[in-house]
Amino acid sequence: MRKKITTIFLLCCFAISLAAQSQFGEQPKLVVGIVVDQMRWDYLSRYYDRFTDGGFKRLITEGYSCNNCLINYLPTVTAIGHTSVYTGTTPAFHGICGNSFYIDGRKTYCTSDTTVQTVGAKGNRGQHSPRNLLSTTIGDQLRLHTDFRSKVVSVSYKDRAAILPGGHSANAAYWLDTKNLCFVSSTYYMEQLPDYVLNVNKAISKNKEAKEAGDYIGYTPLCGTITTDMAIATLQGENLGRGEAADMLCVSYSQTDIIGHEWGTRGSRTDDAYLTLDRDLARLLNALDAQVGRGNYLLFLTADHGASHNWKFMNEHKLKAGPLYMDDLKNRIEDYVSQKLGATHSLVDDVMDYRVFLNHSSIADQKLNLQQVKQVVADFLGKQQGIVTAVDMEHVRTAALPQLLVDRILMGYHPRRSGDVIFIPEPQHYIWWDKATPTRTTHGQWNPYDAHIPLLFFGWHINQGATSREVHINDIAPTVCQLLHIQQPNACSGKAITEITK
């Protein structure tokens, strides 16, 4: 009897082994990545009862939710978030250190590229590419794995939210030119727009609401609807999910960020943005079902960052918060350094994303010691109301900071792109310029309101469930790559989420 049981056990193990081996030859027909700009994790529960059955609620009830997904670097901003999702790493390695940042002393917009031209409209709105990105993405690895038979296409309102997810070898990336009210691309990808994009642009030109919104279309939920229209047109026009190799579609929704910055995390405009997006997601899922088939595509949805509640809103409810008025911070730093060290010319190039970018050439010309200048700047910032501390980023490891902050600063630090001094505000305190607007919000910090984001997996080989284990934004790419049985992006620092891949 014991011998019989042992034989059955070994046969079962052999069967399981064969089943596991067979998975190496399997891939979904299509991978779909969705990033919702400025979506806090708690929006999933806040709007759950108001969601339709076919959008967010379907992803939650049929998919797998990572309920404790955190951003593990600083600062938490759009370009970095989108890049980290798809590269599986952080600014320390992928080099996209902000929406704008300095490369060896030269201010650079993250995707700016004057060597390419606009495709689809007149003007410079298409002079963008992924050239400043230092690492590969999921899409790059997928195309490498299939000898470039896979198609990778990315769509968004924002140029950076289309270009950075697609990676270096994407077949196409499309973003909205608000001046001409049409989707454009650049000569990095193509010489002319395909017919399906031209058809979408014709429909936009005939849309009365879109024409009335004009340059301000990003401030309306219609922006998300148009993005969905473009995503569905791309799905069908490129015949994604029907080729001989797995394809990838990257879709990023930007209107939620623009509306959030203008009207905050509360109110009818933000509500409308997410409820309209929910219906648009349902349309996209229906289109995927129709073209690729239920269970034949792997989809993930996440965010590039969250958002803080407006500080006035918090104060009204007796919750501590406040602004850091930064309109004259650069000048105040200059004055302080001049007083302490006798500087006669400007030493500060910029203050952005809670970082100070110093002009190293000017410091050298004035025969000042760079380390001393950085220490004086940090001392000044650390004394400002609403700021906990400031540190020289080259010496973060020895700073008197909690390990959590040390790790996040280092993961966000690239020595030639991230500036010199970083400052940490008190909770619910953030950079503010506009004293007249009471409803706005922003983001960029380590705190949960900025760093806790949704992460949902859905579709191919995904079982329904959830985990509260801490995972990170750079764990998404290695998870997807392991499911596809392809190599991780070449600077990947995240770890596959085993609850998904087992």
Side-chain angles (χ1 to χ4, degrees), residues 61-227:
T61 57
E62 297 181 24
Y64 196 94
S65 180
C66 297
N67 292 325
N68 195 21
C69 183
L70 302 177
I71 295 172
N72 56 345
Y73 54 76
L74 284 171
T76 49
V77 297
T78 295
I80 302 178
H82 280 80
T83 308
S84 298
V85 167
Y86 287 90
T87 62
T89 191
T90 68
F93 301 107
H94 63 56
I96 300 299
C97 297
N99 297 333
S100 292
F101 48 92
Y102 283 72
I103 299 179
D104 295 326
R106 175 177 55 85
K107 190 170 185 179
T108 306
Y109 178 69
C110 58
T111 57
S112 179
D113 186 352
T114 57
T115 69
V116 299
Q117 301 303 317
T118 304
V119 174
K122 295 181 179 180
N124 61 3
R125 190 65 181 82
Q127 289 193 297
H128 297 273
S129 82
R131 294 191 195 278
N132 292 324
L133 174 61
L134 301 180
S135 62
T136 60
T137 62
I138 300 170
D140 290 328
Q141 296 301 140
L142 180 60
R143 282 180 46 78
L144 278 166
H145 186 81
T146 63
D147 290 328
F148 300 93
R149 288 175 291 126
S150 295
K151 288 184 179 180
V152 175
V153 185
S154 189
V155 174
S156 184
Y157 164 89
K158 293 180 180 178
D159 45 39
R160 57 186 180 269
I163 292 166
L164 297 169
H168 298 279
S169 66
N171 299 83
Y174 304 108
W175 54 96
L176 198 66
D177 178 344
T178 56
K179 182 178 180 181
N180 294 295
L181 211 58
C182 62
F183 280 96
V184 298
S185 190
S186 85
T187 51
Y188 180 90
Y189 303 99
M190 64 191 72
E191 294 300 322
Q192 61 183 27
L193 296 180
D195 288 344
Y196 69 86
V197 181
L198 296 176
N199 291 335
V200 171
N201 287 341
K202 286 179 184 177
I204 295 172
S205 69
K206 296 177 181 178
N207 187 312
K208 182 179 178 182
E209 186 181 351
K211 289 193 291 185
E212 289 176 352
D215 280 347
Y216 293 94
I217 194 168
Y219 293 83
T220 72
L222 176 63
C223 177
T225 300
I226 289 173
T227 301

Side-chain angles (χ1 to χ4, degrees), residues 36-78:
V36 183
D37 204 325
Q38 201 185 111
M39 185 174 183
R40 294 164 53 107
W41 172 77
D42 59 355
Y43 285 173
L44 289 176
S45 58
R46 178 183 169 195
Y47 293 115
Y48 186 82
D49 291 338
R50 300 170 67 184
F51 285 148
T52 64
D53 290 335
F56 282 108
K57 191 175 288 187
R58 180 182 172 192
L59 298 181
I60 295 168
T61 57
E62 297 181 24
Y64 196 94
S65 180
C66 297
N67 292 325
N68 195 21
C69 183
L70 302 177
I71 295 172
N72 56 345
Y73 54 76
L74 284 171
T76 49
V77 297
T78 295

Side-chain angles (χ1 to χ4, degrees), residues 477-488 496-498 501-502:
T479 302
V480 173
C481 289
Q482 185 159 323
L483 286 169
L484 298 177
H485 298 289
I486 65 174
Q487 188 56 270
Q488 299 171 349
I497 301 169
T498 54
T501 59
K502 65 182 179 182

